[in-house]
Amino acid sequence: MTFVSDNREAETVSKDGNLRTVIEAGATVGGGSVIAKGVRVGRNAAVCDGAVVTRDVPPFAIVSGNPAAISGYSDAAGRRLTSSEAQRHQKDAVESESTGGRIVHLRKATDLRGSLVVAELGSDLPFVPQRFFIVYDVPSLDVRGEHAHLACEQFLVCVKGSVHAIVDDGSVREEFLLDSANVGLYMPAMTWGTQYAYSSDAVLAVFASLPYDASDYIRSYEAFQREVSQRSSSSRL
């Protein structure tokens, strides 16, 4: 493997830390791979053989290719996650026994005039939304989300195209494939969410239980795990 550096900048990099290359605990870097200067490979991430990594690799992500792109995510044991398609195709809402993520099937009507999907706020959705936004035109190499909320709940619907969604409660991680306008993914508060592998035409609608509040975001996975640990300790007292 090769770590790209520039000796002329070594002193500056050492002082400010902004351009240090960091390989976090549990990460693996495959043979023949190239890691660019200033890249951070997150904890338990996997860089496949021959990958050329020019951007930060999120925790638990699996990257391959040149330039490296995320091809999947692993669980805590290092096993590649697979999309929960069995849950996605069941008629009724399915709640995860581990992360609390839940697939909800919305009502759909189709005739010669087209299709319509409907949801009653306050009954079909797990909460009454106070905020709504749409994510689209996401390059296939990019990853969205990568944060958690202290109090806000979210409900994701891919109204066009497809996207893979990771739900993580701090100890267990699951992957869901969203590819139908009448299939939604409920994410409770204190869930680390990641969306990746957007199709070129993907349009992801997100309903939030609370108005935007910057202080409600947890943007570091390490900080998220600390919060999970603190809440778990408090609940045992």
Side-chain angles (χ1 to χ4, degrees):
M1 67 194 72
T2 302
F3 292 91
V4 178
S5 64
D6 186 342
N7 290 334
R8 294 173 299 177
E9 296 185 10
E11 184 177 354
T12 302
V13 171
S14 177
K15 286 180 179 179
D16 62 24
N18 290 332
L19 293 178
R20 284 180 177 169
T21 300
V22 177
I23 310 296
E24 295 186 357
T28 59
V29 180
S33 57
V34 177
I35 310 297
K37 176 178 62 181
V39 163
R40 176 180 291 270
V41 178
R43 59 180 299 170
N44 297 98
V47 177
C48 296
D49 294 349
V52 178
V53 183
T54 59
R55 305 164 65 174
D56 289 353
V57 180
F60 299 97
I62 302 169
V63 299
S64 59
N66 178 12
I70 295 175
S71 59
Y73 279 81
S74 62
D75 61 16
R79 299 182 294 263
R80 180 184 288 265
L81 294 173
T82 56
S83 299
S84 302
E85 295 200 52
Q87 296 185 13
R88 178 171 61 87
H89 288 302
Q90 291 184 23
K91 282 187 176 182
D92 300 321
V94 178
E95 183 168 2
S96 164
E97 296 180 356
S98 48
T99 64
R102 188 171 77 207
I103 286 291
V104 177
H105 290 257
L106 304 175
R107 285 170 289 169
K108 179 180 178 181
T110 301
D111 60 24
L112 295 176
R113 300 168 295 176
S115 297
L116 180 148
V117 173
V118 62
E120 298 286 345
L121 302 185
S123 58
D124 292 326
L125 269 60
F127 54 83
V128 178
Q130 295 192 45
R131 181 162 55 101
F132 167 72
F133 58 92
I134 293 177
V135 181
Y136 62 101
D137 288 347
V138 178
S140 60
L141 295 182
D142 282 0
V143 176
R144 301 282 307 190
E146 293 190 292
H147 62 257
H149 290 278
L150 292 166
C152 186
E153 305 165 73
Q154 292 186 314
F155 188 80
L156 282 58
V157 181
C158 191
V159 297
K160 186 178 182 181
S162 64
V163 61
H164 290 249
I166 303 292
V167 176
D168 184 340
D169 69 353
S171 60
V172 178
R173 189 165 305 98
E174 293 180 295
E175 179 171 334
F176 297 88
L177 173 63
L178 302 179
D179 63 353
S180 177
N182 69 318
V183 173
L185 173 62
Y186 169 61
M187 295 174 56
M190 285 302 297
T191 299
W192 185 268
T194 303
Q195 299 89 49
Y196 77 105
Y198 282 77
S199 65
S200 59
D201 60 343
V203 178
L204 181 66
V206 181
F207 299 85
S209 65
L210 296 172
Y212 174 78
D213 179 2
S215 65
D216 186 59
Y217 283 73
I218 307 175
R219 299 189 182 277
S220 160
Y221 191 78
E222 289 69 26
F224 169 67
Q225 288 204 310
R226 287 195 298 270
E227 181 68 23
V228 170
S229 179
Q230 290 172 4
R231 294 192 180 201
S232 177
S233 298
S234 298
S235 66
R236 290 196 295 267
L237 296 178

